[in-house]
Amino acid sequence: MWYVYVLYDPTTDRFYVGMTGNLQRRLSEHKVGTVHTTARMKEQRLLYCEICTDKRDAANRERQLKTG
């Protein structure tokens, strides 16, 4: 299973859209600041999560969410 997720930081009013095969591990990486793109997000909140059947579907959905 693959996951597409959206993080939101209300202090900076920024969103982050990502995909992963292991959601718990990836959220932990965001929380401790090892992901460069979200390291400055202080109050990361998981706003949305979607389960996809395979990596290609997840990549397509991530692209759709990023481009609107």
Side-chain angles (χ1 to χ4, degrees):
M1 260 190 280
W2 283 81
Y3 303 89
V4 177
Y5 60 96
V6 179
L7 296 177
Y8 175 67
D9 180 11
T11 59
T12 59
D13 196 33
R14 292 187 180 223
F15 293 90
Y16 174 84
V17 179
M19 66 175 246
T20 184
N22 185 335
L23 186 60
Q24 292 297 339
R25 178 189 50 81
R26 189 64 173 159
L27 292 177
S28 295
E29 291 172 353
H30 284 296
K31 188 173 185 173
V32 298
T34 58
V35 180
H36 177 73
T37 310
T38 59
R40 293 188 181 126
M41 293 175 80
K42 303 293 182 209
E43 295 181 31
Q44 301 168 12
R45 297 180 185 168
L46 181 62
L47 189 65
Y48 178 76
C49 179
E50 184 174 317
I51 300 171
C52 297
T53 55
D54 60 30
K55 188 175 182 177
R56 184 171 41 150
D57 287 341
N60 289 337
R61 182 63 175 140
E62 178 189 29
R63 189 176 315 108
Q64 183 183 28
L65 288 173
K66 285 183 175 181
T67 61

